[in-house]
Amino acid sequence: MVHLGGLVTPKEKPVPLKSISVTLSISEFVAGVSATLNYKNEEEVPLEAFFIFPMDEDSAVYSFEAVVDGKKIKAELQEKMTAHSSYENAIIRGHQAFLLEEDMCSRDVFCCNVGNLLPGSQAELTLKYVQELSLEADGALRYVLPAVLNPRYQLSGCSEDSCLNMKTPVVPLEDLPYTISMVATISSQHGIDRIQSNCSLSPIEYAGDNKTSAQVSLADGHKFDRDVEFLIYYSAVHTPSVVVEMGEPTAKSDGVLGDPAAMVTFYPNIPEAQPSIACGEFIFLMDCSGSMQSPMRKQSKSQLRIDVAKETLILLLKSLPLGCYFNIYEFGSTYEAFFPKSVKYAQSTVEEALRRVKLMRANLRGTEILTPLQHIYKQPSVPGHPLQVFVFTDGEVTDTFTVLREVKSHRLRHRCFSFGIGEGVSTSLVKGIARVSRGTSEFITGKERMQAKALRALKRSLQPMVDDISLSWDLPDGLSAKMLSPEQTVLFRGQRLILYAQLTGTMPPAEATGEVCLKYTLQGESLENKVSFSLQPKLDANLTIHRLAAKSFLQTKDMGLRETPAGDKKDVLKVSMECGVISSHTAFIAVNKDLNMPIQGPLTPRDVPRPMLLGTAPLMPSVSPQKCATGRRARRSLGHRQQKKCTSLSEACLEKPKPRASAKKTNVETHGPVVEDNRLVQLISLQKADGSWDLNEGLALVLGMKLEDIQAALPDKDANSSSWATVLAVLWLHDNAKDMDCEWELLERKAVAWIHIHAGSVRHELVKAAIAFTKSSVDPAIFGP
């Protein structure tokens, strides 16, 4: 049967969701978003529709409302089980009801239920949220509207109530029956330098003398083939500031909303310090699940996620300092460590690790990260070497809160630096494990290079610890500040720091000012950053700063419906309900009581399909229908939810590229062949653990020279040939890969230190001769005095 006039899934079932429209407003480094889901029932029976969609875990969702056939219904935030009962009771009584909630197992997945949508009826559901924008290394502010929800691998024993248990239909992009539109307004008092996006945009319209505002929209016809990303470059971004927002006069006197709230932004001026010789135990946890075989982006020639991760891991291994300890774990449904315990960083251990890395394949099926983490935490610590864990994953797991609880319980003995690879990554997992362990997180999509972001994290992990962090306020008499953000325990060089505070007491006259000071100690030196600000609070009807402050608090205390300790749950419910910001313990419920038509039998369920992207494996068939906590949302369980995982790379992927015909044979077992357009990777793989290079055919091939010519150019025949090779390699980096120096900075540092020790009195002669031999324009000062 064909349903005329209605969009249908491949199973000939009409889809009630017709379109999604998004209005984005970015002011400085805060985004306000209003997303409207437009529904229409074109069937002859009343429907109950379910729509599962991704949401960045930093989003503070504070409003949900429905407009049904012209009537507006404002949703109420209730305790989650109460909201489920309200929804169920409303449907039984023949009312219309709308439910919005976080998933039970992950903070970055939401489910919207539309109950009792009558034939011919239209409904517009609008949710609003605010979020801080992350700051990239190049000064760009990054906003992402998640549009891709990849399948999440589910462990046995995970909650059947999770909306990820629903067998959501998956359709090709060209068959997706709803569209998305987006209009963005961006403003900054410092002026907008430029705006970039991974999606096609309409022409950008700037306004103001210094381009202080801009408006842009997605080009027509955008499909859900990628997350929508904006990179916004302001003319000045590293400016400390304090913004004070007026409270809600009608709010409770003992709560957060009633008082003014302050948002404090610091860019700590932490000087670069030399790391100690014994500087840590580094554990690299590499996702080798089947989904890591997906390409980085939808183009068929894009690199596979696992290949990008392997290249990055090799670079990190080469960049580790002498004296440290390391180990590598590959994980999927099972896990395996390269070494029984962490080993001393040396040429022999690095060579063994590199051999194993080259054999890595995305063939370990599911994404079970909890078990290897537990094994890592059970290992005895290496005295004098703080533990640093680097996690590389596409983040397609469902037991997020369980993982976060495990990482948080060991936060005092380690830091975690996490990397989300590809589209549709779980922001809840990747950001969460970094946040609870006092590390940092990065996301790599499209054409971005993972290597640069990984090296930035490694450099942070090598920096000496910042101690004695404190925040002090200088305010007029009668006014005090109460911190709403969690206590700051770690600072990184080049990182932005945002804190929230509640101002209590008597607000002074409009002309009054205050001052806040961030103090800390680095290698025995006391440092501080101060910023003065006006105490005149600004009016914001959306209470943006208050909502962000509430979200900051909830991220610290809320560990999921079943994982949050009883004492914290009380605080989570209080802040969530008072500030109107959704949590895992609350849900929005809207009921249209004007509709009172008893239902004859169960409502017809309609699951809104999601797109199937290139490289995304289809789900296995469902097992049997399961009822979830609402009693009405007939979520079809996938049991243990297995994705169709690949067991090995294709023959084409396994085939190694061949060196140029004119090139001489290299040691393929140790170093692999040289690829013409990837000589940097090959040069890095040739570097030894101590920072030096050997003078051999492999290096000559990278340098594009004959080995005999390089040997003949050695100015002092008694000089160490490795010293000559290492000087040439460093010059090559500066001459041929200068635009990627952030990736080889640590490699060069080791190399120059090695040259100083081993080249001896002929160092300056070697450098001078190497510059002349290669016709380089590099300043010899890069090798030191």
Side-chain angles (χ1 to χ4, degrees), residues 280-294:
E281 177 187 5
F282 298 88
I283 304 293
F284 301 99
L285 191 54
M286 182 68 67
D287 187 346
C288 290
S289 63
S291 54
M292 284 289 288
Q293 190 173 313
S294 301

Side-chain angles (χ1 to χ4, degrees), residues 3 6-9 12-16 18 42-43 47 606:
H3 298 265
L7 296 169
V8 296
T9 68
E12 302 299 327
K13 292 181 179 179
V15 177
K18 303 305 179 187
E42 296 177 331
E43 299 187 63
L47 300 179
R606 288 289 180 262

Side-chain angles (χ1 to χ4, degrees), residues 107 401 404-405 408 436 556-561 563-564:
R107 192 179 277 129
F401 286 120
L404 293 184
R405 182 185 64 177
K408 186 176 182 180
V436 300
T556 304
K557 297 284 188 178
D558 187 0
M559 299 302 292
L561 191 63
E563 303 287 345
T564 306

